[in-house]
Amino acid sequence: MKRRPGRAALRRPCFPSDAGRRGGLVLLLLLASTLGLYVWTSSDQLLPSPRHKTTADEGEFSSSKVLLEAKDADGGSKGEWIARQFNDKLILARSYAVIAQENKNEQLAWELDAAIRSCQQFLSKSATEGSVLSESGAEPHLQRLSSLISKAHERDYDTATWIMKLKAKLQSLDVQASLASEQSVTFGQLAAEAIPKSLHCLSMKLAFIYGTDHSIREKAAENLQLSKFGDNSFYHFCIFSDNVLAVSVVMNSTVMNALRPDELIFHIVTDEVNYGAMEAWLGLNDFRGASYIVQRIEDFTWLNSSYVPVMKQLESSESQSYYFKSDDQEAAVNSRTLKFRNPKYLSMLNHLRFYIPEIYPELNQVVFLDDDVVVQKDITPFFSLDLHGNVNGAVETCGETFHRFHKYLNFSHPLIRSHFDPEACGWAFGMNVFDLLAWKRANITERYHHWQEANADRTVWKLGSLPAGLLAFYGLIEPLDRTCHVLGLGYDANVNSSLIESASVIHYNGNRKPWLKLAMSRYKPYWDKYVNYDHPILQECNFE
């Protein structure tokens, strides 16, 4: 019987949106206008405020009364009471300032804003000095606010009218927030897809070095002839990437934490554009005796549209229109799936992981590493793990509901509904232990082809390699401890620090990669640790 994916261990918190906070402010203003028959003088009492004309003296009496009532309290309670008065009156003052602006009463709006700023300065000064709010200092500010609030009441604003106006304002802000969210997704995705100038500079300089330095080209040619690259007594790692610096960080972090780095072999596949730069950069750096070989994906002649469903699908005009269409309206409508049109999802380097046994037919086992990971411990013991006949040793990610199968796959599709459990655990690519002998027995590549062909119309899943992996490896996953591979450093600001420190591999999955300006400053040092920023070429290219 096939093993069903187990239950897992990684949780990702959800965050409230800015739109929600803005909507809450508008609702607060709506509440304030609805309670227009009252003056909110404290959090514990409401004093009736008649709709007839109210004098400035009445406003002064309100604040003075509060201060008199506070005299019997001790210093700390009195200070807290005064602070509540400020908070309550500032809420009302801000509400009336908005109403005054909407009603074109700029003078009243300006007076309210000035009074609000004065109160904020007074409160800020008290907090800075660490002193308790005093009656003598607070009373003039509270009297002024009460007077202006009373003055606002004199305008005889119609509550029902303002409720309608505030509702309209709420709807307008919702539209603006939605538009801002769409733009944020679009701009964030564009920033994540763009190649930083520093990386482009590095690639150009390294390509020139490769073209002019015969020794680097000779070393690359010699590597291709070495027999140890198929020797199963070594520890074999494979990395598929076109990012020169990212690959070197993965290699550096792996060898620097390995007990026997000279027994490590890295199999790197890149594209023809970056091949020279990759060979040059790896040749210029020392990896503590570890060996490596770089290959061009274009040299895999068997990797063509007659064999690979993804390549065949991308040749169709309909697919090209879907993935590369630049119509602004269409892009806006599909902003939720914008990330799936990221070129990395369409690159064969991203799908090459499903052909590992064909690329390395002599190997029995490999550890697959994404280019956005950092290795923090010796991971050669992973090669001794008992996968219990399974193909893929991976960390499951079903700690939250959105990492289960039903979030990746379309369970309204009959093929998916009849073959898979919607509550099955998802798992992560990025650090995977592959038993290639078990892979061949289970025909994983053929299973991958089957599901890619079934998804030619994108009705099974949208795009990306993970959904295809979930289907191809279904029932053949060996769950690893969550500390083997900690995810989220490319999008989650609240990954537990102790979990990061205990992790064997950390993964910057998400748009905020460590080599981008978008990187989260909290996590970037883990990556920077393995970059030699003093290298002359990196300095010439303004890496920081």
Side-chain angles (χ1 to χ4, degrees), residues 292-352:
Y292 67 87
I293 182 172
V294 183
Q295 294 174 277
R296 287 178 286 243
I297 191 171
E298 289 83 2
D299 291 338
F300 302 148
T301 55
W302 49 268
L303 206 63
N304 53 58
S305 58
S306 63
Y307 177 59
V308 180
V310 170
M311 297 183 72
K312 181 179 181 180
Q313 290 162 13
L314 287 176
E315 287 180 352
S316 71
S317 58
E318 191 274 336
S319 293
Q320 291 179 10
S321 174
Y322 177 80
Y323 294 127
F324 304 109
K325 190 172 183 179
S326 60
D327 185 281
D328 292 338
Q329 184 177 0
E330 178 71 11
V333 170
N334 292 284
S335 62
R336 292 184 179 180
T337 59
L338 181 63
K339 70 175 184 177
F340 297 117
R341 302 188 187 197
N342 188 323
K344 80 171 186 177
Y345 291 110
L346 304 177
S347 169
M348 274 309 300
L349 288 173
N350 190 50
H351 290 267
L352 203 59

Side-chain angles (χ1 to χ4, degrees), residues 225-258:
Q225 307 303 319
L226 294 178
S227 59
K228 67 179 181 180
F229 290 111
D231 188 341
N232 285 290
S233 64
F234 288 87
Y235 301 105
H236 296 270
F237 301 87
C238 54
I239 310 169
F240 307 142
S241 173
D242 57 4
N243 188 323
V244 176
L245 192 61
V247 168
S248 70
V249 168
V250 177
M251 293 175 63
N252 271 331
S253 63
T254 305
V255 300
M256 289 178 69
N257 290 288

Side-chain angles (χ1 to χ4, degrees), residues 152-275:
H153 273 286
E154 290 177 356
R155 296 291 171 180
D156 197 29
Y157 295 126
D158 178 68
T159 303
T161 300
W162 280 108
I163 288 176
M164 296 303 296
K165 288 186 177 181
L166 287 173
K167 283 184 177 179
K169 188 69 174 178
L170 176 60
Q171 292 175 345
S172 175
L173 287 174
D174 282 343
V175 171
Q176 293 178 35
S178 178
L179 179 60
S181 178
E182 298 279 1
Q183 291 176 336
S184 176
V185 171
T186 302
F187 296 151
Q189 191 64 43
L190 290 174
E193 293 176 14
I195 300 175
K197 286 185 178 180
S198 54
L199 273 181
H200 181 70
C201 168
L202 177 63
S203 294
M204 293 300 99
K205 287 183 176 293
L206 292 173
F208 176 79
I209 292 173
Y210 178 78
T212 56
D213 191 329
H214 296 286
S215 62
I216 292 178
R217 297 199 300 275
E218 289 174 358
K219 181 180 179 180
E222 291 172 0
N223 279 347
L224 292 173
Q225 307 303 319
L226 294 178
S227 59
K228 67 179 181 180
F229 290 111
D231 188 341
N232 285 290
S233 64
F234 288 87
Y235 301 105
H236 296 270
F237 301 87
C238 54
I239 310 169
F240 307 142
S241 173
D242 57 4
N243 188 323
V244 176
L245 192 61
V247 168
S248 70
V249 168
V250 177
M251 293 175 63
N252 271 331
S253 63
T254 305
V255 300
M256 289 178 69
N257 290 288
L259 297 179
R260 298 183 298 276
D262 58 315
E263 296 182 11
L264 274 55
I265 295 179
F266 294 92
H267 300 262
I268 301 155
V269 179
T270 189
D271 55 26
E272 191 163 12
V273 173
N274 294 281
Y275 174 78

